[in-house]
Amino acid sequence: MNAMVINLFYLLAALLFVLGIKGLTRPKTALRGNRLAALGMLVAIVVTLLDRQVIDYTLVAAGLALGALIGAVMARRVQMTAMPQMVAILNGLGGGASLGVAAASYFSVLAQGGDLSGTTLMLANGAAMLAVLIGTVTFSGSAVAFAKLQEILPGQPIGFSGMKFINLGLLLVALATAWMLVTGQAGAGGFAVLVGVALILGVTLVMPIGGADMPVVIALLNSYSGIAAAAAGFIMGNTVLIVSGALVGASGIILTQIMCVAMNRSLANVLFGKMAEADANSVDADEVYEGKVTSSSPDEVSMLLDGAERVVIVPGFGMAMAQAQHAVRELADTLQSRGTTVEFAIHPVAGRMPGHMNVLLAEAEVEYDAMKTMEQSNPNFSKTDVAIVIGANDVTNPMAREDKGSPIYGMPILNVDQARNVVVVKRSLSPGFAGLPNPLFARDNAVMLFGDGKQAIMDLTAALHEAA
């Protein structure tokens, strides 16, 4: 293909990527944005395959078929509750692919006996070593994130307060080894050392990060995979791979920073796997709950909702686990049919990844306009008759405002405790990802509706129909 034609197609693909990312910024346009980005990737792949003069397309076709089959099975079988784990896997595979490209490039030069000291070759090897380092860290870090999300490993932080110094030391060793490889002072043995150190670094970066910070980790690893892909693009001399990788890397860093602000976490602490430290005098669950929690029933809650003019529903990971989004939508429809104003208050890190609740509610055909951000919702909780919290624990925990010794102190939360009445739907009083009790459950204006989230909401809707 003509070079000008190829570059025009690459420009079209890059434009589709940009439009796709722009579409993903709003729930209403997210589906269209995803399709535009997918179309851009299809254009980029087809043009690259035609341009590279592949001798035998049989292996390429087999890879495409196998990948399409795996992707289709994952899309159909993986539940929304497991979507964060799947994203972690895909981030890891992206990092692994970049590692593979870089390794092939480096060993190809070694096999040909090339002079690694040449300026052009040094630049190429520099990109290769960057892809190796970031790609390997992404691969092993994503594996740990998956294991934590899947509860193969404990969700709480694993490590000690000085872990950041170990991470810094590993990073310096990796950078020094990479420089020796770039300048030709090390060979295949040095390459193995770099990969080994990077694998360990990925593990030690993610191990000290607890389940409550997983949304930040996912966004950060997504950024790492993009940067590794961009470095691989430099190795291959592929413009569209550089552009797409840079877009993913930049957008991932921006999203990571947004998540850090939403969780009152320092980006530097997340980058170096520093744990939030709790006060030794922090209160325990028995002290918070004993004799203060009020249990209720669907019939009692339906009477509470009977005269409510404004109801705010706060979804959390408990709703996702119970697959209760459709039942929640039916409850909202029932309340609205009675003249009640119903809105959904969504914390930016509710669930285990950004946008988790928005996707679930959109799947249940909840109107986008009814989904309100934390900034939109908080000023109105004091004017809310009933707030219904479904499995959202840490993002509604008043300790973030009141307990300076709490690991989540300073984290912006949904101020549901300011509503006139609060109904919390949970299986038990078990803590959320941060492992903390929630004083909201013991407030005078709060009642607990214990049980499976989906069944409890269905029972509540049935009780409202019976009372009508």
Side-chain angles (χ1 to χ4, degrees):
M1 291 178 69
N2 183 277
M4 182 177 293
V5 174
I6 292 169
N7 287 330
L8 284 174
F9 275 111
Y10 279 168
L11 180 61
L12 173 62
L15 178 61
L16 289 170
F17 292 151
V18 173
L19 292 174
I21 291 176
K22 185 177 186 300
L24 291 172
T25 59
R26 297 180 60 197
K28 277 188 176 181
T29 57
L31 181 59
R32 183 179 65 193
N34 192 43
R35 288 172 175 169
L36 286 173
L39 177 60
M41 185 57 68
L42 176 63
V43 170
I45 291 172
V46 170
V47 173
T48 299
L49 289 176
L50 293 176
D51 174 45
R52 296 290 165 170
Q53 299 176 347
V54 178
I55 298 174
D56 185 1
Y57 283 94
T58 304
L59 196 58
V60 173
L64 287 172
L66 180 60
L69 177 62
I70 294 172
V73 171
M74 290 176 71
R76 291 184 66 86
R77 294 194 176 183
V78 174
Q79 299 292 327
M80 274 305 303
T81 51
M83 196 58 63
Q85 290 95 306
M86 189 172 81
V87 172
I89 290 174
L90 295 177
N91 285 340
L93 291 176
S98 299
L99 166 62
V101 170
S105 171
Y106 177 75
F107 284 107
S108 175
V109 172
L110 280 186
Q112 295 171 12
D115 180 11
L116 296 175
S117 62
T119 302
T120 303
L121 199 53
M122 283 180 65
L123 290 174
N125 275 338
M129 294 311 113
L130 182 64
V132 169
L133 175 57
I134 300 177
T136 308
V137 167
T138 304
F139 180 78
S140 59
S142 297
V144 174
F146 168 81
K148 279 178 169 276
L149 290 167
Q150 194 65 21
E151 298 181 356
I152 298 172
L153 290 175
Q156 67 265 28
I158 301 173
F160 50 91
S161 58
M163 184 76 84
K164 62 180 179 179
F165 298 110
I166 291 179
N167 291 340
L168 182 59
L170 288 170
L171 178 61
L172 292 175
V173 171
L175 291 174
T177 306
W179 175 251
M180 293 175 66
L181 287 164
V182 169
T183 56
Q185 300 175 52
F191 187 90
V193 169
L194 176 59
V195 171
V197 171
L199 282 171
I200 297 171
L201 180 59
V203 172
T204 56
L205 279 172
V206 179
M207 275 291 193
I209 301 174
D213 284 340
M214 273 302 122
V216 179
V217 175
I218 290 173
L220 186 60
L221 290 172
N222 181 250
S223 176
Y224 286 171
S225 68
I227 296 170
F234 277 106
I235 299 169
M236 298 173 64
N238 188 289
T239 306
V240 76
L241 185 55
I242 296 172
V243 171
S244 61
L247 285 172
V248 172
S251 59
I253 284 290
I254 292 170
L255 182 58
T256 301
Q257 181 59 33
I258 292 172
M259 293 297 101
C260 285
V261 171
M263 301 177 72
N264 193 38
R265 295 280 280 123
S266 162
L267 179 58
N269 285 352
V270 175
L271 284 168
F272 287 98
K274 182 179 179 182
M275 298 176 290
E277 297 177 0
D279 191 327
N281 298 318
S282 182
V283 295
D284 61 20
D286 289 339
E287 183 180 344
V288 172
Y289 299 140
E290 190 171 9
K292 303 173 187 176
V293 175
T294 303
S295 179
S296 189
S297 67
D299 289 333
E300 291 174 348
V301 174
S302 69
M303 289 189 285
L304 196 64
L305 292 170
D306 188 45
E309 295 182 1
R310 176 182 171 80
V311 173
V312 175
I313 299 174
V314 181
F317 188 66
M319 185 186 78
M321 282 293 291
Q323 290 289 287
Q325 61 269 26
H326 293 281
V328 168
R329 197 280 315 278
E330 291 173 9
L331 172 63
D333 289 347
T334 300
L335 290 169
Q336 288 171 335
S337 69
R338 298 157 65 98
T340 304
T341 299
V342 180
E343 291 181 353
F344 294 82
I346 302 176
H347 193 280
V349 293
R352 285 187 171 179
M353 64 185 295
H356 201 172
M357 298 300 106
N358 301 76
V359 173
L360 283 173
L361 294 173
E363 178 191 350
E365 299 182 353
V366 171
E367 293 292 330
Y368 293 120
D369 292 339
M371 302 181 204
K372 305 299 182 181
T373 64
M374 178 175 62
E375 291 76 16
Q376 292 171 319
S377 299
N378 274 346
N380 297 319
F381 274 116
S382 59
K383 297 176 283 187
T384 298
D385 296 302
V386 182
I388 303 176
V389 180
I390 309 173
N393 198 325
D394 299 327
V395 298
T396 63
N397 194 331
M399 291 176 71
R401 295 195 313 259
E402 301 165 358
D403 186 355
K404 291 186 178 180
S406 166
I408 63 171
Y409 180 73
M411 169 180 160
I413 62 167
L414 290 164
N415 298 325
V416 296
D417 56 317
Q418 297 176 4
R420 295 184 183 94
N421 298 283
V422 181
V423 178
V424 181
V425 181
K426 271 177 67 72
R427 287 182 179 272
S428 67
L429 293 173
S430 59
F433 296 132
L436 301 170
N438 189 340
L440 170 69
F441 305 163
R443 293 288 170 96
D444 292 338
N445 63 335
V447 296
M448 302 295 299
L449 185 57
F450 290 112
D452 173 76
K454 182 177 181 180
Q455 189 60 51
I457 295 298
M458 290 173 64
D459 291 344
L460 178 55
T461 303
L464 282 170
H465 284 301
E466 290 175 6

